[in-house]
Amino acid sequence: MNASPALKPGADTSQDPNTAELLAARPHLSMHAMDGLVLEDVPLNAVADALGTPCWVYSAGTIRARLAELRTALAGVHIHYAVKANDHLAILSLMRQGGAGADVVSLGEMRRALAAGITPDHIVFSGVGKTGSEIRAALAAGIGQINVESPAELDMISAIAHEMGATADVALRINPDVDAGTHAKITTGKADNKFGIPYDDAHTLYTRAATLPGIRPVGLALHIGSQILSMAPYRAAYARAATLIRALRESGQTVTRMDCGGGLGIGYGDAAGASPSAFAGALNGAFAGLDLQLMTEPGRWLVGPAGVLLSSVVLTKGHDRFMVLDAAMNDLVRPAMYDAWHGIVPVSAGNAVGQVVEIDVVGPVCETGDTFARSRAMPLVESGGRVAILDAGAYGAVMSSTYNARPLAPIALVDGAHWATIRARQPIEALWAGESIPDFTT
Ligand code: LLP
């Protein structure tokens, strides 16, 4: 660590990787003496000068490289990018270009995927509460697969498909009752989570599905959670799925596809994320020899490391106890919502080698939870200086709100030495554009 006299006495900063360590683990980011923090070949100060802060910046090259790495490791496995992680059309377009399909969970996500040119047959429709109109829209569009999460939903799909004269290719999402070992709010594969069909009910429901009009059961799906770093829960869940597939086939059912879900974790500090080859090992270990079309739905792993949230320091207060940013929990909610740890590094080289302090990095929103980092050992950045909050490419901009009447921040996409604005800052007036004032309030 860059210990310095400014550290509070007794502060244990050994947990926090320093700026150099954070950058070393992220080859798309580098610190240059003149240009400061550079993403691919674009100085982030240039983007912030043009767009203002807060703003999001994504690296196209990083997304392309990560998709290619995953595709190579998972040769033969169909990758359906989980649109919820980052649903910007340009990101979806990169996914399409790189050979991925899409996993969607709402009409809006389906329309986004289609608008980005992903063909319907490469789209899987997931989600625990699809409405009748979403199911109708999915069938009308010719979506490749619908993942069914309950008996009631199966009946609804059957009725709608039958009425439309369509056949829905469905996979039953099973709940394998496996603990993914991740944050409770993003664990989805335990029996008491709302997701999927209880493992013990799945055989009967699959058999019934095969008899329903408008339904063609094609296989199973599962997704046990997000930000998973150990392969053990995957192996446990996939072993249960493989057992069920064998039993279904023995009883005469046709099972051709296995949708293995997403959840691959990334390293938010300086530790490594989940390894694609280890994941490939978990898939092969369970399903090799079963002659299945394997599918997977990664979101975070593909886009998380590729994005940063740039923010300016508004002021410091409390004798360097707090660094108040112009970004807030309405922009990036992960720290407030999941106690998530995100690296925070200065954008200017001078600041990067400055005095290291132990400081709370907070936003201006009127909630104590609007805190990006607590007691973080990092270089002090004074008012007007900029910081980059790292690994904000997944579940960042998509989870933004306009709380405290703060407009949605702009987004830039970097590709090599070029960059483009891919979303303008939301005009303030847009915040109330859909609102009206009825007579009885005036
Ligand atoms: N498939 C399904 C059915 C899902 O529910 C999810 C994520 C994924 C795939 C993609 O998971 P990933 O590969 O991105 O882990 N907002 C939280 C994460 C929520 C994940 C929800 N489901 C966060 O910021 O950590």
Side-chain angles (χ1 to χ4, degrees):
M1 289 301 309
N2 282 342
S4 99
L7 285 173
K8 296 208 177 72
D12 175 14
T13 60
S14 54
Q15 302 293 313
D16 294 334
N18 64 28
T19 300
E21 289 165 335
L22 288 169
L23 297 184
R26 291 160 185 76
H28 50 295
L29 284 166
S30 51
M31 189 65 79
H32 296 247
M34 294 300 290
D35 289 334
L37 191 62
V38 170
L39 179 62
E40 296 196 38
D41 297 321
V42 172
L44 289 172
N45 269 323
V47 179
D49 286 346
L51 296 186
T53 56
C55 70
W56 306 90
V57 193
Y58 307 145
S59 154
T62 304
I63 293 170
R64 276 195 206 102
R66 294 183 75 84
L67 178 54
E69 183 187 346
L70 198 62
R71 286 193 72 191
T72 305
L74 303 182
V77 178
H78 287 182
I79 295 177
H80 292 96
Y81 166 65
V83 170
K84 62 173 77 69
N86 186 326
D87 64 10
H88 193 286
L89 292 182
I91 302 302
L92 299 179
S93 194
L94 281 172
M95 294 298 170
R96 176 187 47 75
Q97 217 177 42
D103 171 75
V104 304
V105 293
S106 68
L107 178 62
E109 286 192 354
M110 181 186 99
R111 294 285 302 273
R112 277 184 172 276
L114 293 170
I118 297 175
T119 53
D121 51 318
H122 289 128
I123 297 178
V124 173
F125 208 124
S126 302
V128 74
K130 301 172 207 73
T131 64
S133 59
E134 286 175 325
I135 291 165
R136 195 164 275 112
L139 292 172
I143 291 308
Q145 176 174 309
I146 301 180
N147 289 350
V148 176
E149 300 225 12
S150 61
E153 185 182 65
L154 182 64
D155 288 338
M156 193 154 96
I157 298 170
S158 170
I160 295 170
H162 186 55
E163 176 200 312
M164 293 173 70
T167 301
D169 283 343
V170 305
L172 295 197
R173 175 171 175 182
I174 57 167
N175 182 321
D177 194 17
V178 165
D179 187 347
T182 184
H183 191 283
K185 286 186 186 166
I186 52 175
T187 294
T188 54
K190 285 163 71 177
D192 58 355
N193 298 141
K194 68 180 173 180
F195 299 98
I197 294 152
Y199 184 80
D200 292 338
D201 299 349
H203 195 133
T204 308
L205 193 64
Y206 200 100
T207 308
R208 192 162 82 78
T211 68
L212 290 178
I215 297 287
R216 178 166 43 225
V218 294
L220 301 181
L222 63 77
H223 172 76
I224 56 173
S226 194
Q227 184 54 16
I228 301 170
L229 293 168
S230 158
M231 291 302 123
Y234 281 120
R235 282 195 292 268
Y238 296 158
R240 300 206 83 188
T243 301
L244 181 55
I245 289 168
R246 288 195 182 88
L248 284 166
R249 284 179 172 170
E250 270 163 31
S251 65
Q253 297 300 324
T254 304
V255 184
T256 56
R257 301 183 201 165
M258 178 66 218
D259 182 341
C260 304
L264 286 181
I266 60 172
Y268 280 97
D270 58 352
S275 121
S277 54
F279 185 58
L283 293 179
N284 290 331
F287 301 118
L290 281 181
D291 189 25
L292 288 161
Q293 175 57 62
L294 296 181
M295 301 151 72
T296 179
E297 306 163 353
R300 184 192 317 264
W301 195 92
L302 291 172
V303 293
V308 297
L309 174 60
L310 297 183
S311 180
S312 300
V313 177
V314 178
L315 50 83
T316 58
K317 60 177 285 187
H319 303 288
D320 297 342
R321 174 82 177 79
F322 298 102
M323 201 188 274
V324 184
L325 305 184
D326 65 357
M329 65 188 288
N330 75 293
D331 301 301
L332 177 67
V333 76
R334 301 196 68 259
M337 194 154 178
Y338 316 108
D339 292 317
W341 195 100
H342 281 259
I344 305 176
V345 301
V347 176
S348 294
N351 281 330
V353 294
Q355 180 192 42
V356 172
V357 294
E358 187 201 355
I359 199 159
D360 284 10
V361 185
V362 302
V365 159
C366 303
E367 298 206 21
T368 301
D370 185 21
T371 297
F372 290 114
R374 221 175 294 280
S375 300
R376 178 69 57 87
M378 64 171 286
L380 180 67
V381 181
E382 301 282 3
S383 171
R386 291 173 179 145
V387 295
I389 304 179
L390 305 181
D391 306 312
Y395 307 109
V398 278
M399 292 182 79
S400 294
S401 75
T402 58
Y403 186 41
N404 280 207
R406 293 168 47 85
L408 298 177
I411 309 178
L413 183 65
V414 164
D415 191 13
H418 303 283
W419 68 274
T421 305
I422 58 171
R423 185 176 79 183
R425 187 178 304 282
Q426 187 179 33
I428 291 269
E429 298 74 21
L431 292 174
W432 56 84
E435 299 179 12
S436 53
I437 304 175
D439 290 349
F440 54 84
T441 71
T442 58

